Amino acid sequence: MRLFSGSGPEALAINLDGVRYPLQLRRSKQARSIIVSADTVKGVVRLTLPTYASEQQALRFAQSKADWLNARFAEAVPPIPVRDGGEIAYLGEPYVIRWSPEFARTPMVVDEEIRLGGPVEHVEARMLRWLRSQARTIFAEDLEYYCARAGTDLPRLAVGDARRRWGSCSGRRSIRLSWRLVMAPPHVRRSVVAHEVAHLTHMDHSPRFYALLDDIFESDRRVADHWLKAHGRGLHMVGADRQPPLAD
C-alpha cells in the first residue's frame, strides 16, 4: 500500500492492490484512538483522529490496516444502477424496469415489470423518488398496525437513508426508517418497524423490550435480522453514487 499527498480536495489517497482510493481525515474530540473505516458505498477510506494525534500517525495506522481494508473492499457489493432493462427489488420481489416514452411518468407495477415514461435520462431519479413515496405510505400502515398491537399512540414518522441504522426511535416519539426497507421482503421491513415501535415503550434492549417485540411481531425476528445481515449491503448499493477510484 502506498500513500499519496498533494493539494485540493483529493490531497490524500491510498493505494490498495493497485487501486487508489480517496483518503479522508477527520478530527474528533470524542475519539480516544485512531479509527479507520472503509466506506464501501462511496469508495473512500476514512480516518478519525483524536485531537492529539498527528496526521502522520494516522497515515501510518492506515498503512498497518492495508490487509483489513483490502478485505472490506473485496467484500463490497458494486453499485446497482437503476435504468431501463435493469432489475430492482420491490417488497422483496424482483422487477424489471421498463421505460417507454408512451408510459406515464409515474412508475407503475405491471405483472413482473415497473413501467415508467418521461425523459430516459431521469429514470433513476424518478424510480428512487417513487420508492421513497411508496415506503412512506407502507411504513405508515405498518406503524399504525404495530402501535395498535403495542397499545401506544402513533409517533411522528420520518423517512431517511441512514447508512448504519435501518431504523431509530427518539425520546420525542419520533421514528425514522430507511426508505430502502421497501425493497426488502415484507417480514424483514415489518421486523424493523416493530422493533422501533417496541422502543416507544422501552428505550433499551432489555428483556422487557424483547418480550414486547416478540409479542407484537408476528414472525421470527431472528430470521429477519439474518436476512438484513446477509443482504442489507445490497440494498444500500441500489442507486448508490460510489466515487470511482482515483487514477495514478
Side-chain angles (χ1 to χ4, degrees):
M1 182 190 75
R2 289 185 294 155
L3 296 171
F4 299 83
S5 62
S7 59
E10 294 174 351
L12 289 174
I14 196 168
N15 189 310
L16 301 172
D17 283 352
V19 180
R20 191 180 176 198
Y21 296 93
L23 182 63
Q24 296 183 356
L25 276 65
R26 181 179 71 90
R27 293 191 179 275
S28 170
K29 294 180 179 179
Q30 287 73 41
R32 294 294 178 264
S33 61
I34 300 172
I35 301 171
V36 63
S37 62
D39 187 336
T40 58
V41 174
K42 295 294 185 182
V44 172
V45 174
R46 303 187 192 279
L47 280 167
T48 301
L49 289 68
T51 54
Y52 60 80
S54 70
E55 184 175 294
Q56 288 304 313
Q57 285 177 305
L59 298 180
R60 286 195 296 270
F61 184 74
Q63 188 171 12
S64 72
K65 297 296 182 181
D67 290 343
W68 182 85
L69 289 167
N70 271 320
R72 298 291 79 73
F73 284 113
E75 294 169 354
V77 178
I80 301 172
V82 181
R83 61 191 177 198
D84 179 36
E87 189 174 273
I88 196 168
Y90 175 59
L91 302 180
E93 298 295 331
Y95 290 89
V96 176
I97 300 170
R98 293 296 184 201
W99 172 87
S100 169
E102 299 177 358
F103 294 153
R105 287 174 175 259
T106 301
M108 179 178 296
V109 177
V110 181
D111 297 326
E112 297 179 351
E113 298 179 346
I114 298 180
R115 299 176 180 177
L116 74 163
V120 67
E121 63 270 21
H122 297 155
V123 164
E124 178 169 296
R126 282 199 303 282
M127 276 295 306
L128 296 183
R129 282 198 301 270
W130 178 77
L131 286 171
R132 290 183 72 110
S133 175
Q134 293 296 106
R136 176 172 285 279
T137 299
I138 293 168
F139 293 165
E141 294 172 353
D142 291 342
L143 269 181
E144 185 174 0
Y145 175 82
Y146 287 116
C147 283
R149 286 182 63 86
T152 188
D153 293 336
L154 277 171
R156 185 170 64 88
L157 170 64
V159 178
D161 191 16
R163 294 277 305 283
R164 298 182 181 277
R165 305 177 71 178
W166 295 106
S168 61
C169 177
S170 77
R172 297 181 178 180
R173 297 191 62 79
S174 174
I175 286 178
R176 176 176 290 273
L177 299 165
S178 169
W179 69 265
R180 294 177 184 274
L181 287 169
V182 79
M183 296 185 284
H187 75 280
V188 175
R189 178 196 77 243
R190 289 170 66 85
S191 75
V192 176
V193 179
H195 185 107
E196 301 310 329
V197 167
H199 274 315
L200 292 172
T201 302
H202 303 292
M203 290 293 289
D204 53 30
H205 289 102
S206 64
R208 292 186 304 166
F209 165 82
Y210 284 110
L212 176 59
L213 175 56
D214 290 337
D215 183 53
I216 66 175
F217 184 51
E218 67 278 9
S219 300
D220 189 338
R221 58 179 168 82
R222 296 172 184 82
V223 173
D225 291 345
H226 178 75
W227 191 97
L228 277 176
K229 289 179 180 178
H231 305 286
R233 186 179 295 133
L235 299 185
H236 280 298
M237 298 312 295
V238 173
D241 182 20
R242 179 168 178 175
Q243 183 172 346
L246 304 174
D248 284 345

